[in-house]
Amino acid sequence: MTQVEAMFERYGPRYRLYVTITVLLGLVALGMSITIVNVATPYIRGAFGMSASQVQWLSTGFLAATTVTLLVSPWLMAAFGQRKTYVGLLLVFIAASLLGGWSESMGMVIAARVVQGAMTGIIRPVALEALFMVYPPDKRGLATAIYGMSLGLPLTLASVVGGYLVHDFSWRYVFFIVLPICVAAILMGLVFLPDREEDGPIPKLDWVGASVLFVAIFSLLAALANGQRWTWGSAGVLWLVTIAIVGTAFFIWWEPRQQRPILDLDIFKTKEFLAGSIVLFLFGGAFYGVMYLLPQFMDAILEYSPITSGLLFTPSTLVLAVLVPLVGKFSDRIPPHWITVPALAVTAFATWRFAGADWNSSFFSLALSMALVATGMAVVPPPTLSRSIASLPPRLIGYGSGAINFALQLGGAFGTVILVAMLDRRTALHSAQLTHQGLTPGNPIAMESLRQYSEIAARTGTSEVYQQAAGSVLLSRVDAIWATIYAYQDGFLMVAVALVTVIPPSYLLSRWGLARTRMHCAREKGLPQGERA
């Protein structure tokens, strides 16, 4: 009898609920750390006098650590079991949060974020495997829906809570707020999660593969993040890109030669899993992109307070809470593309609405668009995860659980960093275009605007000698704001296009999965090969 079977015998059907609550607590606590610190970033920057490039490391280091450690999770569970892995990573996360909240220097904050990111990456495959162990195959759709909610809900919830904390208390509280949840998760994990089943020696970790992959991903993220500031042809960017390419090539050569690789590349030979990885990579980039762009837009353009910005995400949180149970109920009964494709279309439409936002956009309009975006997070990942992992042979399921989460997080990391670089570039481009089309006799709109701003300067008591100069300054500031607005609009439009490209692989994944299911059913019935097809 396995430990999970013994737990079911002891607690009965309630054991499934206990495990679900246990992993949800951990996922929500650590998932909130992804965005809650983003809300406080302007305050952290001011506290330590950080430059824009230094602030970038808060997100780049976190994303790189989160992405790579996803693949270390299967080894940790094989070496120490679910219970010790889950409890151990939560204890380390608590220590990192205390370090971040008590930081007295920029280096301490960045170090805390990197450790938080590493623990956030590890917990996801642990939680998914724990859910799959207590949910039977016919209820895996519900399990992945719950898991999907635990990925999307913390992102929106963190915006609400983080805005309240930084407005009424201090940025340091964003590191402390989730600690009680972590403690509750630890206590439940000690009771309800199974220990290591095997009594043999601890398997060896592919340290070489893990280290090389971390360096490759970190180098590429750093190159993308700093390319605009350093110039894309600079020696620093070229060196980082070279390291990333060489590291990736070495990783692909190294992994098949290991007895226990950190990532078994055979998983990508299954076309359903490959399609699912592409879906989640693209969707992760798009969703995390929106979660980065929208708060920045509200702060830089609309000048919303942190509380107002947080409240804007409240409807999307409610949408997740309502849709997730429905997705879990129906994803096991109907072909996934009947729900994923419409959800992607709705999400792309909502993001396209964001692409038309400017400083006249209403709170209601933005909240509605974000609520529509939340439908994608509620509907797309759960059936995609379930179908992708179910397509793998049993020996590869452990690798698949880590890799499919790796694809989602890697997409989010690249999507966010690419958007940061794109915003800098597009802002400079639009600023140059507005300046070029500016105050010339052939531009009557600009000349009329100059006249109006000069009149405004006159009403404020500016000397007649300086009125036109003051009007020119005001006009240039307005042009700078519009250059920024146009850059954000370009970013949202790019995300909308990315979401449209997710639709074909999502549809194919569902169709291929249905074909595989029919084939398995035919084999069980003993039908001839010709009839199985």
Side-chain angles (χ1 to χ4, degrees), residues 86-101:
Y86 187 77
V87 171
L89 69 90
L90 285 171
L91 289 173
V92 175
F93 182 85
I94 289 174
S97 299
L98 294 174
L99 174 66

Side-chain angles (χ1 to χ4, degrees), residues 175-308:
F175 286 96
F176 300 145
I177 188 64
V178 297
L179 298 188
I181 306 177
C182 291
V183 172
I186 288 172
L187 296 176
M188 293 192 70
L190 288 170
V191 176
F192 298 116
L193 292 184
D195 210 343
R196 187 184 182 214
E197 298 279 0
E198 299 84 3
D199 296 327
I202 294 177
K204 293 182 178 180
L205 174 63
D206 179 17
W207 287 104
V208 174
S211 302
V212 169
L213 186 62
F214 178 82
V215 171
I217 291 175
F218 190 81
S219 298
L220 188 54
L221 288 175
L224 293 173
N226 296 290
Q228 181 66 20
R229 284 187 291 270
W230 296 353
T231 71
W232 293 102
S234 66
V237 171
L238 293 177
W239 270 111
L240 287 171
V241 172
T242 301
I243 291 172
I245 294 173
V246 172
T248 302
F250 178 83
F251 182 81
I252 294 173
W253 173 85
W254 175 265
E255 289 303 288
R257 290 164 173 77
Q258 305 308 303
Q259 186 175 0
R260 286 187 64 90
I262 191 173
L263 177 63
D264 194 326
L265 300 180
D266 285 346
I267 58 177
F268 297 110
K269 294 179 181 179
T270 303
K271 63 181 181 179
E272 293 97 322
F273 187 86
L274 179 60
S277 299
I278 294 172
V279 168
L280 289 183
F281 177 83
L282 294 172
F283 183 81
F287 185 79
Y288 281 93
V290 171
M291 294 303 297
Y292 170 79
L293 287 174
L294 186 55
Q296 299 292 326
F297 179 81
M298 290 187 293
D299 178 63
I301 304 302
L302 301 178
E303 297 183 349
Y304 283 175
S305 70
I307 291 180
T308 304

Side-chain angles (χ1 to χ4, degrees), residues 30 49 80 85 94 99 150 158 162 189 226 259 279 310 324 329 444 451 453 495 514:
L30 273 65
F80 304 106
T85 300
I94 289 174
L99 174 66
S150 70
N226 296 290
Q259 186 175 0
V279 168
V324 165
K329 180 179 180 180
R451 185 188 65 79
Y453 287 126
V495 172
L514 289 174

Side-chain angles (χ1 to χ4, degrees), residues 35-58:
T35 54
I36 196 168
V37 175
N38 291 343
V39 178
T41 294
Y43 299 86
I44 298 173
R45 178 178 182 176
F48 298 114
M50 301 169 71
S51 66
S53 59
Q54 291 170 333
V55 170
Q56 185 64 44
W57 291 109
L58 284 174

